[in-house]
Amino acid sequence: MNKTLDKILTSGGLGQRAEIFQSDKGNVSVFSSPAIISLEDPLLTINAQRSKTKFCKGNRNVKEEEESSTFHIPNPFPEVLPPTLTQSVSECLVPYMKSSATLVIKVYDENNTSKAVEVPTDVTARDICQLFVLKTHCIDDHSWTLIDHLTQLGIERTIEDHEYVMDVQSGRGMDTDSRLYFRKNYAKYEFFKKPLDFFPDHMVSISTETNDIVDHSELIETFLKSSTCPEIHGHLHVKEQSKKSWKKFYFVLRRSGLYFSTKGTSKEPRHLQFFADFTDSDIYTVLSAKKTHGAPTEFAFCVKATKCSSARDLKLLCADDEQTKTCWITAMRLLKFGMQLYQNFIQPHQKQKASPVRSISENSLVAMDFSGQKTRVIENPSEALSVAVEEGLSWRRKSCHRLSCHGSPSSTQTSVSNLAIHLVQPWFHGKMSRDEAQRLIMQQGPIDGVFLLRDSQSNPKTFVLSLCHMQKIKHFQIVPVEDDGELFYTLDDGHTRFTDLIQLVEFYQLNRGILPCRLKHHCTRISL
């Protein structure tokens, strides 16, 4: 897959228009509720041009003159560490350039608390996310996203990183009750890493517009090129206009738009009827589809015209499962934005490569072993890592002992000390219901390894690990077991025991064990 996308980058088919920022601390002032962050310094893109490229059959979002500018990335999907807060400032903010055109937007978090922000009119969704990453002191792992949530219509979508926030707001309509949410979305660009997980074989074929044969491993490349385009096809339920009933049709997605067949699964032109295109439309996920629209399943989405503000004007579709729904939405995003999505994906990695995370002081640090009579430098990276892990576990055991040192360390005291440790972890969500856990995981990306820990509602003494695998949420009970007066936690009836929940999570982040996959991305909720 990496070689395939390297071929795109070196073939002259991509012109990079990455917005490069330089460092400045800025004067961002925060006021008490109702709070307004005055954006007096950062986040004004250099020479930002508000040009809108029209979508048509033979035209992608990259212009002809830009295609002559190429660059080479040896590995477009590097496994990189999150940048530090200092690097985020240096790479994502620019000196303020006085602009008379500003607007005030309100951004919400998962707890529905909000913060008002005054920004220039040409600010992008990525700029807003970078601002709140800095203000909330959270780690920037490139998965933070701005969500456009239309409360009145019961729909929401991810605002693409390059989109102008003012354009999104101006297209809502005056009477639309809407909100912007600052939220994690681990699945935003996951299809660039694992395309075959998003596009099953039975839903993909080469477009009839070309006679070439495209291997499925080159699927994303064909989406990004203007000369070829895969066909996405399959059955979808569609709601009839001004009616409550739903009908099932065979749909075909091509570069020219979305069509449905009036005769079974026939793809003949005389049997294909036009349904929608994406020139002036966006793709939204429908919330509570069964309750609100009487949909056959909850896996509903819709095509909404930019200026549409009424539920009657939505083109509602419904899939039979989450994978089918994700496939359609992902394909529509690729057809609408094309190469711009790939630029959005590689831009943070390009910045990290240009400005390494390690500082001069960090480069001078070495791993040392002080356990023997003489100190020595640890040159083997594996040994240095194991020593660091052992020191961390030793420190944790000492902390537990200090917390329960007022007498003999009974199992009750050990339990209290363990609670004191994991309560502050970002992956622990306390008293959260099963439905709330499933909703949060689906919101933050239904990809393998997204997880959270919570208190069990059925048994107060146990905990639950909620984990996403194959776009389905599974729940595993973490049971406490007592042995010789010591309390342990286990997922497999005591075969593998852990002194606390932190140790359990760290183990399953490295080992799959009895789980269907390793723990990879934890769900987090920040407060603005």
Side-chain angles (χ1 to χ4, degrees):
M1 181 60 202
N2 292 345
K3 294 180 180 179
T4 302
L5 289 172
D6 277 339
K7 185 165 61 179
I8 303 175
L9 298 174
T10 56
S11 62
L14 170 64
Q16 185 186 25
R17 291 184 57 205
E19 300 175 58
I20 305 299
F21 301 91
Q22 63 185 35
S23 170
D24 190 74
K25 303 214 172 189
N27 290 321
V28 181
S29 54
V30 182
F31 300 91
S32 58
S33 181
I36 295 182
I37 303 175
S38 179
L39 194 64
E40 298 177 356
D41 207 340
L43 302 178
L44 184 60
T45 305
I46 298 176
N47 297 327
Q49 303 243 342
R50 309 204 36 179
S51 60
K52 299 180 184 177
T53 304
K54 293 295 182 181
F55 176 84
C56 61
K57 295 183 182 180
N59 180 32
R60 306 308 294 143
N61 289 353
V62 181
K63 299 179 181 179
E64 292 285 339
E65 57 270 22
E66 293 172 340
E67 293 182 349
S68 60
S69 172
T70 61
F71 59 95
H72 177 71
I73 305 175
N75 181 7
F77 312 126
E79 291 295 333
V80 293
L81 293 173
T84 60
L85 187 62
T86 304
Q87 187 204 5
S88 297
V89 177
S90 64
E91 291 182 351
C92 302
L93 301 182
V94 298
Y96 174 65
M97 297 159 58
K98 192 69 176 178
S99 173
S100 57
T102 61
L103 72 153
V104 176
I105 62 174
K106 186 179 287 187
V107 180
Y108 290 80
D109 59 21
E110 295 285 356
N111 301 317
N112 286 322
T113 58
S114 64
K115 185 76 70 177
V117 188
E118 183 180 3
V119 295
T121 55
D122 56 359
V123 70
T124 65
R126 171 167 283 172
D127 296 335
I128 296 295
C129 290
Q130 290 295 333
L131 172 64
F132 281 102
V133 163
L134 297 176
K135 296 306 298 180
T136 56
H137 307 289
C138 54
I139 296 176
D140 184 13
D141 57 358
H142 317 311
S143 61
W144 290 104
T145 309
L146 207 59
I147 303 293
D148 184 25
H149 179 92
L150 306 183
T151 308
Q152 183 179 354
L153 300 180
I155 59 177
E156 68 179 24
R157 76 173 179 96
T158 296
I159 304 177
E160 304 297 347
D161 288 339
H162 67 278
E163 289 189 86
Y164 292 106
V165 178
M166 184 178 181
D167 289 346
V168 175
Q169 289 198 315
S170 62
R172 290 170 174 169
M174 296 297 294
D175 300 329
T176 305
D177 182 14
S178 59
R179 288 185 175 185
L180 292 175
Y181 278 91
F182 177 61
R183 183 189 299 163
K184 285 271 191 182
N185 183 5
Y186 293 110
K188 183 165 58 171
Y189 299 125
E190 189 71 10
F191 55 87
F192 283 122
K193 303 176 184 178
K194 300 177 180 178
L196 299 186
D197 292 350
F198 283 74
F199 299 99
D201 290 346
H202 68 276
M203 291 185 63
V204 183
S205 64
I206 188 63
S207 174
T208 55
E209 298 171 6
T210 64
N211 296 321
D212 300 329
I213 298 177
V214 176
D215 187 82
H216 281 250
S217 63
E218 301 176 349
L219 188 62
I220 299 297
E221 179 185 0
T222 61
F223 269 114
L224 301 182
K225 284 184 177 180
S226 60
S227 58
T228 59
C229 177
E231 269 188 358
I232 307 298
H233 50 79
H235 285 92
L236 288 172
H237 303 270
V238 58
K239 186 176 182 182
E240 297 184 276
Q241 289 288 342
S242 303
K243 294 182 180 180
K244 295 183 178 180
S245 59
W246 291 72
K247 286 189 176 182
K248 197 170 187 177
F249 288 98
Y250 187 77
F251 277 81
V252 179
L253 179 64
R254 295 176 177 172
R255 191 173 296 283
S256 54
L258 181 63
Y259 303 83
F260 67 92
S261 178
T262 57
K263 189 175 182 180
T265 59
S266 174
K267 295 183 182 180
E268 294 185 23
R270 59 196 179 99
H271 295 147
L272 290 181
Q273 185 171 331
F274 176 79
F275 184 79
D277 66 8
F278 312 107
T279 308
D280 295 312
S281 301
D282 295 297
I283 302 92
Y284 283 78
T285 298
V286 180
L287 309 174
S288 303
K290 280 186 175 181
K291 180 179 179 181
T292 307
H293 302 285
T297 71
E298 290 290 358
F299 311 111
F301 59 101
C302 69
V303 180
K304 173 189 171 296
T306 304
K307 300 297 182 182
C308 165
S309 59
S310 172
R312 294 191 302 269
D313 300 325
L314 299 177
K315 296 183 178 181
L316 295 166
L317 298 163
C318 183
D320 290 326
D321 53 66
E322 182 65 34
Q323 186 184 37
T324 303
K325 167 191 165 184
T326 303
C327 178
W328 284 104
I329 294 178
T330 304
M332 291 174 184
R333 287 177 61 201
L334 280 166
L335 287 180
K336 180 175 175 64
F337 298 107
M339 189 63 76
Q340 181 64 60
L341 285 188
Y342 186 61
Q343 289 180 347
N344 294 347
F345 169 69
I346 65 173
Q347 184 177 341
H349 302 308
Q350 284 292 92
K351 289 180 178 179
Q352 278 189 290
K353 188 172 290 186
S355 178
V357 176
R358 291 178 64 86
S359 65
I360 297 175
S361 60
E362 289 173 328
N363 286 329
S364 63
L365 298 177
V366 294
M368 300 291 293
D369 179 15
F370 297 96
S371 59
Q373 294 181 351
K374 294 182 179 181
T375 60
R376 67 183 181 91
V377 176
I378 304 176
E379 298 180 353
N380 188 338
S382 300
E383 183 185 0
L385 179 61
S386 63
V387 170
V389 171
E390 180 59 33
E391 287 184 358
L393 295 177
S394 176
W395 173 85
R396 189 180 299 129
R397 285 192 292 268
K398 290 178 182 178
S399 299
C400 292
H401 180 71
R402 283 195 299 269
L403 287 170
S404 58
C405 64
H406 304 289
S408 59
S410 64
S411 60
T412 304
Q413 290 172 328
T414 305
S415 176
V416 172
S417 67
N418 288 343
L419 282 174
I421 291 176
H422 71 255
L423 281 176
V424 297
Q425 299 302 312
W427 38 256
F428 187 74
H429 292 262
K431 295 181 180 180
M432 175 179 283
S433 68
R434 185 188 186 98
D435 292 338
E436 288 176 328
Q438 293 187 167
R439 180 184 60 82
L440 184 61
I441 291 176
M442 295 303 293
Q443 282 183 345
Q444 300 198 4
I447 61 175
D448 290 356
V450 177
F451 75 98
L452 61 84
L453 267 72
R454 56 189 175 89
D455 291 317
S456 173
Q457 290 189 315
S458 58
N459 190 344
K461 296 182 180 180
T462 64
F463 302 94
V464 177
L465 168 65
S466 299
L467 173 66
C468 181
H469 178 63
M470 301 295 291
Q471 297 182 334
K472 294 181 179 179
I473 313 300
K474 300 181 179 181
H475 307 273
F476 303 88
Q477 194 167 47
I478 302 173
V479 181
V481 293
E482 190 171 348
D483 187 10
D484 292 335
E486 293 188 40
L487 190 66
F488 300 95
Y489 296 95
T490 180
L491 276 173
D492 52 7
D493 298 327
H495 295 290
T496 311
R497 302 180 181 184
F498 306 95
T499 57
D500 54 57
L501 295 184
I502 297 179
Q503 192 181 63
L504 183 145
V505 169
E506 290 175 347
F507 175 83
Y508 287 108
Q509 284 176 328
L510 300 174
N511 309 276
R512 192 182 74 176
I514 64 165
L515 300 177
C517 63
R518 290 186 292 114
L519 307 182
K520 190 174 181 181
H521 307 293
H522 65 267
C523 288
T524 181
R525 303 176 77 168
I526 56 101
S527 176
L528 298 181

